[in-house]
Amino acid sequence: KGVKEEDVPSAIGFQDLSPELQAEVQELQRRMAVELQPLVLESTLTMQKILEAEDHKARVNLLKHFMDAESKRLQAKKTLQGMFTGSPDSITSEP
């Protein structure tokens, strides 16, 4: 509204935010760190398991297992999102 694009900064420093917004950003960062920690750990352990596999066949089987698990996780996520948005695409008849 009356502000030219060149007048809007491309980045805003943390110190430029109001104290309330700074607190909100810090809380969001804290929550993200807590919620993402299990994903980082799982990713690390997955790679460690693959590296420790006895042979190529074992690595391929592990990779296949992890890919199947991730596919199932993504399908469940899609289904749950569809339940809350009412999307008919989210409900599948796949086994």
Side-chain angles (χ1 to χ4, degrees):
K1 295 182 178 182
V3 177
K4 296 179 184 172
E5 188 173 327
E6 58 268 7
D7 294 337
V8 177
S10 61
I12 297 173
F14 183 75
Q15 300 302 324
D16 297 332
L17 298 174
S18 69
E20 295 83 18
L21 283 177
Q22 286 181 8
E24 193 174 328
V25 167
Q26 288 175 329
E27 174 60 20
L28 182 61
Q29 289 174 329
R30 187 195 64 73
R31 281 186 24 226
M32 283 177 47
V34 168
E35 292 176 14
L36 293 178
Q37 183 69 24
L39 293 176
V40 171
L41 180 60
E42 181 181 348
S43 175
T44 302
L45 292 175
T46 298
M47 187 56 68
Q48 183 176 345
K49 286 282 190 192
I50 291 171
L51 291 173
E52 291 175 353
E54 190 126 336
D55 56 16
H56 180 71
K57 184 176 180 179
R59 283 189 292 278
V60 169
N61 286 336
L62 278 171
L63 190 57
K64 191 174 177 184
H65 168 77
F66 293 133
M67 289 175 62
D68 288 343
E70 181 65 7
S71 293
K72 289 176 185 176
R73 186 190 72 78
L74 291 173
Q75 185 60 43
K77 178 181 175 183
K78 180 179 176 183
T79 300
L80 287 171
Q81 285 176 334
M83 289 172 63
F84 293 105
T85 62
S87 171
D89 296 337
S90 64
I91 302 172
T92 63
S93 59
E94 293 179 25

